[in-house]
Amino acid sequence: LQKILIFLHVTTCVVIGKTLMILFPNAMKRYILKQGKKSRMNENPKFSYENWGPTFFSFNYLLFVLKVKWKRLEDEAYEGHPAPNTPVVTFNGELRHLFDFMQDNRPLILNFGSCT
C-alpha cells in the first residue's frame, strides 16, 4: 500500500512538473536552478543547467525517485521493532550490511560524524 501511494504521489509530481516545464520553461528553469543551489549543483562550472536541468521530470527521473523512495521504506526503523539490515559501505569501498558487523550478543554501536 505504501509503495502504491508513493507511486501515485511521485507520478503526479512528475506529470505536473513536466507540464509546467512545457508551459512555463523560463519559470521552471529558475525554480530548478534555485533547487540546484540547495544541493550546490550550480557551483560546478563544468556542469551547466543544460546538462542536468532537462532531466528533471523525465521518465528516468521518475524511475530514479521511485527507486530511492521505495528503498527508504526498507530502511525505516521503528521503536520496539527489529532494526533494518541497511546496506553500508566500508572504508575500503566494500558493500556490506549492518548486521555483518554484529558479534555474538555484543551490542552494535553506530557512530555518525562529518568531515567537511
Side-chain angles (χ1 to χ4, degrees):
L1 181 61
Q2 286 180 321
K3 283 188 176 183
I4 292 171
L5 292 174
I6 289 171
F7 173 77
L8 292 174
H9 179 257
V10 172
T11 303
T12 302
C13 291
V14 168
V15 168
I16 291 170
K18 191 65 163 179
T19 303
L20 291 174
M21 282 183 81
I22 293 168
L23 296 175
F24 309 104
N26 292 331
M28 287 303 288
K29 180 178 179 178
R30 285 192 306 273
Y31 172 76
I32 291 171
L33 286 171
K34 187 177 178 180
Q35 297 302 313
K37 284 182 183 179
K38 291 180 183 177
S39 66
R40 300 188 334 189
M41 203 179 303
N42 301 356
E43 293 179 11
N44 186 344
K46 296 180 183 179
F47 198 51
S48 68
Y49 171 81
E50 287 71 27
N51 293 348
W52 55 270
T55 64
F56 274 67
F57 309 115
S58 65
F59 184 69
N60 286 336
Y61 175 87
L62 170 73
L63 295 179
F64 176 75
V65 173
L66 284 175
K67 181 180 173 183
V68 169
K69 289 189 173 277
W70 286 347
K71 182 64 183 152
R72 285 186 183 163
L73 285 176
E74 299 169 11
D75 293 340
E76 289 186 31
Y78 299 98
E79 186 176 342
H81 294 274
N85 193 15
T86 304
V88 293
V89 178
T90 67
F91 286 115
N92 301 331
E94 180 184 356
L95 182 64
R96 305 271 304 269
H97 284 82
L98 196 59
F99 293 170
D100 295 342
F101 299 96
M102 293 182 69
Q103 297 177 1
D104 300 322
N105 287 333
R106 295 177 59 191
L108 178 64
I109 298 173
L110 303 177
N111 186 12
F112 298 93
S114 175
C115 296
T116 57

